[in-house]
Amino acid sequence: MFQATREQSLGPVEEDDLISGEHSDAPRDLEPGRVQGVMTFAGHLRSHLSLVLQLLCLLLCAVLLVAILAQVSKVPSCHQQVPSKTQEIRRDVMQLKAGLANLCRPCPWDWTFFQGHCYFFSKSQRNWHDSVSACQDVGAQLVIVRSDEEQFFLQLNAKSRGPTWMGLSDLKKEGTWHWVDGSPLMLSFMQYWNPGEPNNHQEEDCGEFKNNGWNDDQCSKDKFWVCKRPTAPCEAA
Ligand code: MMA
Ligand code: CA
């Protein structure tokens, strides 16, 4: 400890004396070989000390620089971050679509699906004109019968519920029946009139499902009604 402290404060000559193990007053050229050799080594070391320190410092700086560069390269750049965010959003949208596909129904919850269409069977009763409006209000039509299967399906429902308006009338011209879309009643559907109908009993201009077939009745009477509309396309899925 003492020696080390002293060593630091010693000049070249004193240092050399320490290394040689004794303080000598003898002139330096008395032992040229040994003293010269030790002096050369120590002097060499000392004269290069600052250079070694500089090199060490440089090496440290280089190591630091490499470490910083390694860290920076790990941080994703803006260009890398944008697609990853987009992919994240795209994945979320796909998941939402899949979820929606599960929820997606061709008809609203209180409507009935049948052969590519949705049907709404009313719980309350209205006159024929108000029934037409009620269906229009929900983007549908008072039902128009287009096939035998549909007729069977509708008649069965009406039979269990009670007399039900359909979108058929001869309001424009007595005895000439038209659907609410303006199309005429085809002859092939005449078979669905109940026996003896339509009889226009006390001015009956509107068509209804009654029991096992059709009947003409007074348009002012309140009855159930059936709306028909196309299925929702479910495009989101
Ligand atoms: C009711 C009414 C008429 C129908 C007859 C059939 C009494 O009137 O529904 O439209 O033609 O019944 O008996
Ligand atoms: Ca009738």
Side-chain angles (χ1 to χ4, degrees):
M1 183 72 171
F2 170 73
Q3 195 174 341
T5 313
R6 193 163 170 252
E7 260 181 341
Q8 281 170 6
S9 60
L10 290 175
V13 176
E14 290 165 320
E15 194 179 10
D16 291 346
D17 292 341
L18 264 173
I19 292 163
S20 65
E22 58 179 292
H23 181 78
S24 174
D25 290 323
R28 285 174 176 277
D29 54 353
L30 280 180
E31 293 178 283
R34 192 171 73 87
V35 173
Q36 193 65 44
V38 173
M39 277 176 69
T40 306
F41 173 73
H44 202 69
L45 190 73
R46 203 161 39 76
S47 68
H48 284 85
L49 194 64
S50 66
L51 188 70
V52 168
L53 282 172
Q54 278 177 23
L55 279 169
L56 273 172
C57 197
L58 209 67
L59 191 72
L60 195 71
C61 285
V63 167
L64 266 171
L65 197 72
V66 167
I68 289 166
L69 281 172
Q71 283 300 315
V72 165
S73 68
K74 278 182 192 169
V75 176
S77 74
C78 287
H79 287 294
Q80 287 169 326
Q81 215 167 15
V82 167
S84 77
K85 256 280 183 259
T86 311
Q87 282 167 357
E88 214 172 89
I89 292 164
R90 197 170 290 155
R91 190 199 59 211
D92 287 352
V93 167
M94 278 171 70
Q95 283 175 354
L96 281 171
K97 276 187 173 181
L100 206 63
N102 287 334
L103 292 172
C104 192
R105 292 158 174 267
C107 302
W109 70 272
D110 53 344
W111 290 55
T112 304
F113 175 82
F114 178 79
Q115 292 191 345
H117 284 85
C118 302
Y119 297 85
F120 176 76
F121 296 94
S122 77
K123 281 126 202 116
S124 56
Q125 301 189 23
R126 293 187 181 188
N127 66 44
W128 189 84
H129 284 98
D130 287 350
S131 297
V132 170
S133 302
C135 292
Q136 285 173 347
D137 289 349
V138 291
Q141 276 180 324
L142 191 57
V143 74
I144 296 172
V145 184
R146 298 284 189 205
S147 72
D148 296 340
E149 294 92 336
E150 189 180 19
Q151 160 58 22
F152 185 79
F153 160 72
L154 293 168
Q155 195 70 51
L156 207 67
N157 268 284
K159 197 179 176 182
S160 65
R161 301 158 64 83
T164 304
W165 288 127
M166 66 176 80
L168 182 69
S169 79
D170 68 345
L171 284 161
K172 275 192 176 174
K173 188 182 174 193
E174 180 55 42
T176 306
W177 294 86
H178 285 93
W179 296 105
V180 285
D181 67 349
S183 62
L185 176 65
M186 293 197 295
L187 281 172
S188 60
F189 285 88
M190 293 297 189
Q191 59 172 309
Y192 297 125
W193 290 111
N194 280 330
E197 307 295 346
N199 59 3
N200 197 33
H201 175 73
Q202 295 181 347
E203 202 57 41
E204 298 174 326
D205 295 331
C206 294
E208 64 167 338
F209 297 98
K210 184 186 177 186
N211 300 326
N212 295 316
W214 299 359
N215 175 47
D216 58 341
D217 209 342
Q218 293 163 356
C219 301
S220 58
K221 287 187 181 172
D222 284 345
K223 298 177 190 290
F224 294 108
W225 72 92
V226 195
C227 303
K228 177 184 176 182
R229 60 170 245 193
T231 52
C234 270
E235 274 157 2

